[in-house]
Amino acid sequence: MNIDLSTTVAEVSLENCIYNASGPLCTTAEHLHAIGESQAGAILTKSATLELREGNPQPRYYENDLGSINSMGLPNKGYAYYASLVAEMQKHAKPYFVSVSGLSLENNLTILKHLNTVKEVSAIELNLSCPNVPGKPQTGYDFEQMQRVLDKVCALEGHPLGVKLPPYFDIIHFHQVADILNKYPIQFVTCVNSIGNGLVIDVDAEQVVIKPKHGFGGVGGDYIKPTALANVRKFFVLLRDDIDVIGCGGIKNGRDAFEHILCGASAVQIGTQYMREGTGCFERIANELVALMQEKGYQSITDFKGKLKSID
Ligand code: SIN
């Protein structure tokens, strides 16, 4: 059987529904070309700010068997750099998504206005959920501010726009956020960013494992898969049909990718596992997903996307 992993995100076609999360190893042209040369279905940049940022002091990333904690603080080369790479990224013949995380609404508007003029940008993922910039709360947890941001950014004409959300934990919050998002012409949501402000401890050293914010940082990997799945599921059910959900959180093999798609994800992003394994993870996870689909008799991801069963 010929198994097809193709999908669309915001009406942009991807040959493979698996690609990188905006986070690890997507900051430099070298990183982005490596993703382009891999089996990843798209190239997604590190979240761009107005100006280049060095990010938080090191050590700022740590992983163990269960996942990762980071407080990178948005180290990136500034939005103009990611815009300037569009021409060279064309050779990979796959979508080039730019993540944006301006430090203010005005910054976001400046960045989006410019990116909207750059024809080759396939879509923009507006990051409303970075937990790691001291003094900058996560917009995704401030529903009034989220609406103010969406009012302005959605008034701009341009590329397909999606938002990267933080994880939510309360049923009423899923409904409140979905009610907000359903009012705007966004085309996708990415669920989820890391669980913000966790703490991982080195028992031997009786110390935190990362330096910024006294060790507090965004948690990813196995630790967060059930939360990520719950967010994908809820937003798949609650959002308009024309808003794609992209799953992110705890995907390290084909079965994890399958679970996200079963919950309703149109595509999945890999963060912690990509950091561990490098670009080979995209092909390995895709092969594992294909093998599982073959076993189950599924030919394309639409055969099982969103079809999670409840217990009667
Ligand atoms: C970071 O750079 O601090 C991580 C990005 C994010 O969590 O959005």
Side-chain angles (χ1 to χ4, degrees), residues 69-263:
I69 182 165
N70 88 83
S71 184
M72 304 301 288
L74 297 176
N76 78 92
K77 294 191 169 289
Y79 78 97
Y81 175 83
Y82 300 105
S84 75
L85 295 179
V86 288
E88 57 187 279
M89 290 297 147
Q90 294 311 296
K91 72 172 181 204
H92 301 300
K94 56 179 75 166
Y96 180 65
F97 295 138
V98 179
S99 171
V100 172
S101 193
L103 299 183
S104 66
L105 175 52
E106 291 67 33
N107 284 184
N108 276 327
L109 290 171
T110 305
I111 297 170
L112 291 179
K113 276 179 194 159
H114 179 81
L115 291 177
N116 281 335
T117 66
V118 181
K119 185 169 97 328
E120 299 88 343
V121 169
S122 308
I124 294 169
E125 183 181 271
L126 182 64
N127 184 354
L128 299 180
S129 49
C130 177
N132 301 328
V133 181
K136 297 282 175 194
Q138 293 170 83
T139 305
Y141 288 141
D142 177 344
F143 299 166
E144 283 175 14
Q145 179 61 8
M146 182 154 62
Q147 292 197 69
R148 279 193 286 275
V149 170
L150 290 170
D151 274 340
K152 295 281 186 201
V153 298
C154 290
L156 302 174
E157 297 270 309
H159 295 303
L161 181 72
V163 291
K164 184 167 184 180
L165 297 173
Y168 298 98
F169 303 94
D170 195 311
I171 296 294
I172 188 74
H173 292 157
F174 289 124
H175 284 269
Q176 288 171 338
V177 174
D179 286 348
I180 293 170
L181 296 175
N182 279 331
K183 290 192 297 192
Y184 294 96
I186 57 164
Q187 279 158 279
F188 64 94
V189 298
T190 301
C191 300
V192 294
N193 207 322
S194 57
I195 295 184
N197 298 304
L199 192 57
V200 174
I201 291 169
D202 175 343
V203 170
D204 295 331
E206 300 180 14
Q207 201 177 32
V208 299
V209 295
I210 55 172
K211 182 169 176 176
K213 292 175 68 181
H214 304 289
F216 284 66
V219 177
D222 291 0
Y223 285 122
I224 78 163
K225 192 177 76 172
T227 296
L229 291 173
N231 277 260
V232 169
R233 184 65 187 164
K234 268 295 176 194
F235 285 110
F236 174 74
V237 169
L238 294 173
L239 291 176
R240 290 191 324 258
D241 286 349
D242 63 336
I243 301 179
D244 296 317
V245 180
I246 301 170
C248 182
I251 300 172
K252 61 181 187 191
N253 58 42
R255 294 185 81 83
D256 298 324
F258 184 90
E259 286 181 68
H260 272 261
I261 297 166
L262 194 62
C263 284

Side-chain angles (χ1 to χ4, degrees), residues 19-24 26 44-45 125 164 248 269-272 274 282:
Y19 62 103
N20 68 296
S22 176
C26 54
L44 173 60
T45 72
E125 183 181 271
K164 184 167 184 180
C248 182
Q269 299 178 350
I270 318 295
T272 299
Y274 168 41
F282 304 116

